[in-house]
């Protein structure tokens, strides 16, 4: 790691009728999905659930976040994973990333 990690956070809703399915899927995330995230410089990735809201946080340690996110999006294993997880989700925040279910949220405070 050559610099301080970038922190990224996102929010999405989980469909109440798909909540348990989503939780089961994330009880054993596919190894290929996890490997691609690591290859693309994603670390400390967590997803939290509160009622029907999902909050995700990760740290990015690479040099080109956009390029690495495109590499993940082009990965066939990740694409297949999303065919299972996306139907469980619903956008609940202002659409800042066009077409994305998960929407970024702003950091307002951080303690090192």
């Amino acid at each position: 790691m050559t610099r301080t990690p970038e922190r990224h956070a996102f929010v999405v809703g989980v469909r109440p009728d798909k909540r348990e399915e989503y939780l089961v899927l994330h009880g054993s995330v596919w190894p290929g999905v996890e490997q691609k995230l690591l290859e693309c410089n994603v670390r400390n990735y967590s997803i939290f659930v509160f009622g029907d809201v999902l909050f995700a946080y990760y740290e990015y340690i690479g040099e080109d976040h956009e390029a690495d996110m495109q590499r993940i999006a082009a990965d066939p294993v990740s694409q297949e994973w999303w065919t299972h997880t996306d139907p469980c989700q619903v956008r609940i925040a202002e659409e800042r990333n066009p077409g994305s279910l998960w929407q970024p949220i702003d950091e307002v405070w951080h303690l090192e």
Side-chain angles (χ1 to χ4, degrees), residues 31-48:
V33 170
E34 291 179 335
Q35 184 58 43
K36 182 54 69 175
L37 290 166
L38 291 171
E39 288 172 10
C40 292
N41 301 302
V42 174
R43 300 293 187 276
N44 296 322
Y45 197 156
S46 297
I47 298 175
F48 301 86

Side-chain angles (χ1 to χ4, degrees), residues 45-106:
Y45 197 156
S46 297
I47 298 175
F48 301 86
V49 63
F50 180 76
D52 294 333
V53 176
L54 299 170
F55 166 79
Y57 168 86
Y58 67 85
E59 295 172 353
Y60 177 73
I61 61 168
E63 299 295 327
D64 190 341
H65 183 258
E66 185 176 333
D68 279 331
M69 294 304 104
Q70 289 174 0
R71 287 177 48 211
I72 294 168
D75 175 53
V77 175
S78 297
Q79 291 173 358
E80 176 65 22
W81 172 253
W82 295 332
T83 69
H84 298 276
T85 60
D86 283 2
C88 300
Q89 303 166 0
V90 61
R91 186 180 306 112
I92 60 169
E94 170 190 346
E95 190 174 21
R96 294 167 63 185
N97 271 355
S100 179
L101 290 167
W102 288 89
Q103 293 298 310
I105 56 178
D106 299 323

